[in-house]
């Protein structure tokens, strides 16, 4: 980092402007953006707060695999090694991100945290743990799942059992003999249930406010995610209808087993409230077999258990909150008026706010295509816009 700081501040100690783009975050979206910018001839520097690349992937549970297909989950110019499963394990993703960074010699500075971004009329000042860095363009790529979110349930502090987020699921074997309540029937909730179905838990309950938009991982030998580019090109209403029809044909009527109906179609929920489409890999079979019992919403906690909306009390040992994530961007950009009520940027990819030229966001919303394919698309759009503005 020292060379870049010296370059930015100048030999006299006066701050000079970095006439390119500073990318914040070295996940898939940030790396794709850096590659696209570098390829377009835009000077680029990537700042990553962690001490090693792909750190969030190391922290996720041991059985985590992508729900997106291998062929649609690569960054430009780098493939997965031969023999990689169709849905890569997290270790393959970690290797892919590192291989991509090395193959393209991306300028990444690890261990540099960004605290706040301020607009000074014609330039941006990035306040970092290494000091302030002025630049004309800032690409925020810190991820939409930066901070696990657990609701503030009434009585949760008094609960004698354990409440944890699905991000901390750990090993499926650790739940053998336990009574487990999973709260949330979205993508994370079904990922947990897919693993719990084979964990020999004493009891598995699912509390769901809304039913899922749910697709199987495979239909026969066909990996369903391979069809995502086709779905992404359809009008939202038609994509909703195709996914709903597929869900009904493959799984039947899941409301018979207690799951509430989905509040809206899968593509609509992606667009309107950024809810990712859930993937089944054994959970539905467990629900139909009675191994997973679907319950009403959680009302409150007591010391000894959980009271549901119907007044019934259950006594889980462990409650897994599959209740989503937040971007955690309030401190960094909250003063700029660019976030909605849930902390999600109001614009993304090649879009920007004319009043805040040079500020870009990428990877902040889910996509039918998956995060890697979406990262490539948004990176190209941002690079094109920045090149156009630099002319």
């Amino acid at each position: 980092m020292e060379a870049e700081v010296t370059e930015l501040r100048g030999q006299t100690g006066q701050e000079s402007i970095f006439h390119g783009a500073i990318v914040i975050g070295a996940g898939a979206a940030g790396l794709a953006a850096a590659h696209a910018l570098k390829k377009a001839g835009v000077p680029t520097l990537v700042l990553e707060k962690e001490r090693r690349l792909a750190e969030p992937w190391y922290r996720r549970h041991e059985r985590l695999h992508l729900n997106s297909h291998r062929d649609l989950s690569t960054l430009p110019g780098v493939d997965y090694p031969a023999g990689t499963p169709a849905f890569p394990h997290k270790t393959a993703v970690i290797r892919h991100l590192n291989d991509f960074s090395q193959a393209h010699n991306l300028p990444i500075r690890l261990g540099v945290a960004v605290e706040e971004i301020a607009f000074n009329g014609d330039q941006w000042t990035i306040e970092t743990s290494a000091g302030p860095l002025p630049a004309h363009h800032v690409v925020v790529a810190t991820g939409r799942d930066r901070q696990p979110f657990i609701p503030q349930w009434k009585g949760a502090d008094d609960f004698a059992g354990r409440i944890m987020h699905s991000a901390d699921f750990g090993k499926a074997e650790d739940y053998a003999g336990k009574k487990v309540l999973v709260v949330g029937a979205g993508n994370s909730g079904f990922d947990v249930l897919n693993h719990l179905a084979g964990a020999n838990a004493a009891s598995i309950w699912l509390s769901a406010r809304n039913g899922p938009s749910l697709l199987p991982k495979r239909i026969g030998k066909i990996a369903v995610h391979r069809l995502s580019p086709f779905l992404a090109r359809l009008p939202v209403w038609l994509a909703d209808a195709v996914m709903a029809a597929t869900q009904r044909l493959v799984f039947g009527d899941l409301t018979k087993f207690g799951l509430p109906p989905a509040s809206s179609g899968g593509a609509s929920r992606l667009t309107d409230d950024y809810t990712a489409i859930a993937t089944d890999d054994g959970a539905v079979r467990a629900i139909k077999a009675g191994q997973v019992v679907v319950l009403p919403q959680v009302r409150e906690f007591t010391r000894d258990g959980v009271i549901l909306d119907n007044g019934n009390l259950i006594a889980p040992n462990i409650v897994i909150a599959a209740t989503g994530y937040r971007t955690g961007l309030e401190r960094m950009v909250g003063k700029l008026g660019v976030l909605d009520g849930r902390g999600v940027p109001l614009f993304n990819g090649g879009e920007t706010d004319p009043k805040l030229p040079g500020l870009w966001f990428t990877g902040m919303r889910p996509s039918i295509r998956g995060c890697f394919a979406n990262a490539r698309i948004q990176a190209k759009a941002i690079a094109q816009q920045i090149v156009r503005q630099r002319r």
Side-chain angles (χ1 to χ4, degrees):
M1 188 68 197
E2 291 183 3
E4 284 75 13
V5 172
T6 300
E7 176 185 350
L8 295 174
R9 294 181 176 176
Q11 298 299 322
T12 64
Q14 299 296 315
E15 294 182 352
S16 58
I17 300 174
F18 185 60
H19 295 285
I22 292 180
V23 178
I24 304 171
L31 295 178
H35 170 259
L37 289 164
K38 183 178 178 182
K39 186 177 179 181
V42 178
T44 303
L45 177 64
V46 183
L47 305 181
E48 169 55 55
K49 69 173 184 177
E50 303 292 353
R51 295 288 179 180
R52 61 179 172 177
L53 209 61
E55 181 62 37
W57 289 94
Y58 285 98
R59 296 173 184 165
R60 302 300 289 272
H61 68 82
E62 291 188 0
R63 293 193 180 186
L64 181 67
H65 287 74
L66 291 179
N67 285 332
S68 54
H69 192 274
R70 172 191 60 222
D71 295 345
L72 299 173
S73 303
T74 60
L75 296 176
V78 178
D79 293 326
Y80 287 99
T84 300
F87 298 96
H89 184 260
K90 71 168 189 175
T91 54
V93 176
I94 291 168
R95 177 175 175 178
H96 182 72
L97 295 176
N98 280 278
D99 287 349
F100 179 77
S101 171
Q102 293 168 12
H104 298 295
N105 194 28
L106 298 180
I108 302 169
R109 299 299 172 263
L110 299 172
V112 180
V114 173
E115 296 151 5
E116 188 175 1
I117 302 170
F119 188 51
N120 304 315
D122 60 352
Q123 70 183 58
W124 293 92
T125 298
I126 301 125
E127 298 292 343
T128 81
S129 56
L133 301 177
H136 282 307
H137 293 274
V138 184
V139 181
V140 181
T142 49
R144 65 186 182 89
D145 56 357
R146 189 180 182 196
Q147 292 182 349
F149 171 75
I150 298 179
Q152 293 182 336
W153 286 301
K154 180 181 178 182
D157 290 342
D158 299 323
F159 180 55
R162 181 184 179 193
I163 301 175
M164 57 182 286
H165 193 271
S166 56
D168 300 316
F169 178 71
K171 299 177 182 179
E173 308 87 72
D174 293 341
Y175 299 88
K178 303 292 186 181
K179 294 182 290 183
V180 186
L181 170 64
V182 179
V183 182
N187 183 46
S188 297
F190 266 81
D191 178 60
V192 167
L193 291 172
N194 289 334
H195 297 300
L196 281 178
N200 295 316
S203 299
I204 306 172
W205 296 295
L206 170 63
S207 172
R209 179 178 61 182
N210 295 308
S213 295
L214 181 65
L215 292 174
K217 210 157 196 177
R218 296 182 183 275
I219 299 179
K221 295 184 178 180
I222 300 173
V224 172
H225 186 253
R226 295 291 295 271
L227 305 176
S228 64
F230 164 74
L231 282 174
R233 288 192 288 268
L234 297 178
V236 170
W237 68 268
L238 185 53
D240 281 345
V242 170
M243 284 188 276
T246 302
Q247 178 173 332
R248 186 63 178 255
L249 286 170
V250 174
F251 303 122
D253 182 6
L254 294 178
T255 62
K256 294 179 180 179
F257 302 92
L259 275 172
S263 58
S264 59
S268 293
R269 293 184 73 184
L270 275 171
T271 303
D272 298 338
D273 60 13
Y274 320 129
T275 300
I277 298 162
T279 300
D280 174 68
D281 194 22
V284 169
R285 183 170 61 250
I287 290 171
K288 290 182 175 180
Q291 183 184 358
V292 174
V293 178
V294 182
L295 302 175
Q297 293 184 65
V298 170
R299 179 190 299 174
E300 61 182 285
F301 283 71
T302 68
R303 183 186 182 282
D304 299 318
V306 177
I307 300 175
L308 306 172
D309 265 357
N310 61 2
N312 289 345
L313 174 71
I314 60 172
N317 305 118
I318 302 171
V319 176
I320 301 176
T323 45
Y325 297 82
R326 298 293 184 267
T327 65
L329 288 172
E330 286 79 6
R331 180 179 177 186
M332 188 184 296
V333 298
K335 296 178 182 178
L336 300 175
V338 295
L339 304 177
D340 67 13
R342 289 165 291 183
V344 178
L346 296 170
F347 49 92
N348 198 39
E351 305 168 348
T352 190
D353 184 337
K355 300 187 296 297
L356 298 170
L359 178 64
W360 313 88
F361 294 93
T362 180
M364 296 295 172
R365 301 173 190 174
S367 164
I368 291 176
R369 295 182 178 89
C371 64
F372 285 83
N374 206 38
R376 296 196 304 266
I377 293 169
Q378 293 184 348
K380 183 176 180 180
I382 291 171
Q384 288 174 342
Q385 291 294 335
I386 290 178
V387 168
R388 187 175 293 119
Q389 292 181 18
R390 280 164 53 86
R391 287 174 180 166

